[in-house]
Amino acid sequence: MSQFDLLTTLRNQYPATTAAAHNLVLRTSELLLARKHQVQIDLQKAPRAQVAFENGLWETLLWAARESDAASAERLFKFTANFFAQFALACPTWNNVLPEITDYLLAASSAEHSLLTDAVDQVKREHSIVIGIGRKNFSNQTVKQQ
């Protein structure tokens, strides 16, 4: 399978995760360039490139949790790791930034307060709202007409 075919397959199976991963790769490139050139632009006392990278990773994890229906942080980690492995095969020119992403992902998964757990929990809450849990069910009430 050609690289373009693999990327097309990823886009067809997981369109939002693929788009978020593209954004994350760009944010990671910016982060690595900022570190290399020691550019520190503060945004509320945090380097702007680091904040953009973390936001990109969060977006990618959310879309991965939504599109994979991962029910746990472990399953989300496995899905995301597999997705990035396929992404690396499809886009080998971006392989120099993928170690940064995987290192951060490993650190985020082993932290006491896991970013992966937060992503799974947020998606579960979204699903609960969509299917109606937590909302008042008006179908059982009768409306009296005068």
Side-chain angles (χ1 to χ4, degrees):
M1 180 179 284
S2 75
Q3 293 169 341
F4 182 75
D5 291 338
L6 181 56
L7 185 58
T8 301
T9 301
L10 283 174
R11 283 184 183 154
N12 289 339
Q13 290 178 340
Y14 311 107
T17 303
T18 304
H22 277 279
N23 182 44
L24 178 59
V25 166
L26 294 174
R27 299 294 169 235
T28 308
S29 297
E30 292 170 0
L31 176 63
L32 294 176
L33 284 172
R35 287 181 184 164
K36 180 180 176 183
H37 298 292
Q38 298 178 350
V39 176
Q40 297 295 322
I41 302 171
D42 286 336
L43 178 67
Q44 299 176 348
K45 301 190 183 209
R48 180 176 282 177
Q50 182 70 33
V51 171
F53 167 77
E54 290 172 3
N55 289 341
L57 181 61
W58 176 246
E59 179 185 6
T60 303
L61 288 174
L62 285 176
W63 281 114
R66 289 176 186 127
E67 291 184 333
S68 69
D69 291 328
S72 67
E74 294 80 19
R75 291 190 71 185
L76 178 58
F77 179 80
K78 288 177 184 177
F79 172 82
T80 307
N82 183 43
F83 179 84
F84 279 120
Q86 292 179 27
F87 194 78
L89 291 173
C91 304
T93 57
W94 290 347
N95 282 346
N96 61 334
V97 300
L98 290 176
E100 182 74 24
I101 296 169
T102 54
D103 288 347
Y104 199 90
L105 189 60
L106 284 170
S109 67
S110 62
E112 187 174 323
H113 184 76
S114 173
L115 194 61
L116 293 132
T117 301
D118 289 347
V120 169
D121 289 345
Q122 180 169 331
V123 171
K124 283 181 182 177
R125 284 191 305 273
E126 290 170 2
H127 286 310
S128 296
I129 291 170
V130 169
I131 62 172
I133 297 174
R135 291 189 298 173
K136 190 172 184 180
N137 186 357
F138 293 105
S139 63
N140 293 336
Q141 295 178 353
T142 57
V143 178
K144 293 181 183 179
Q145 293 188 2
Q146 297 179 353

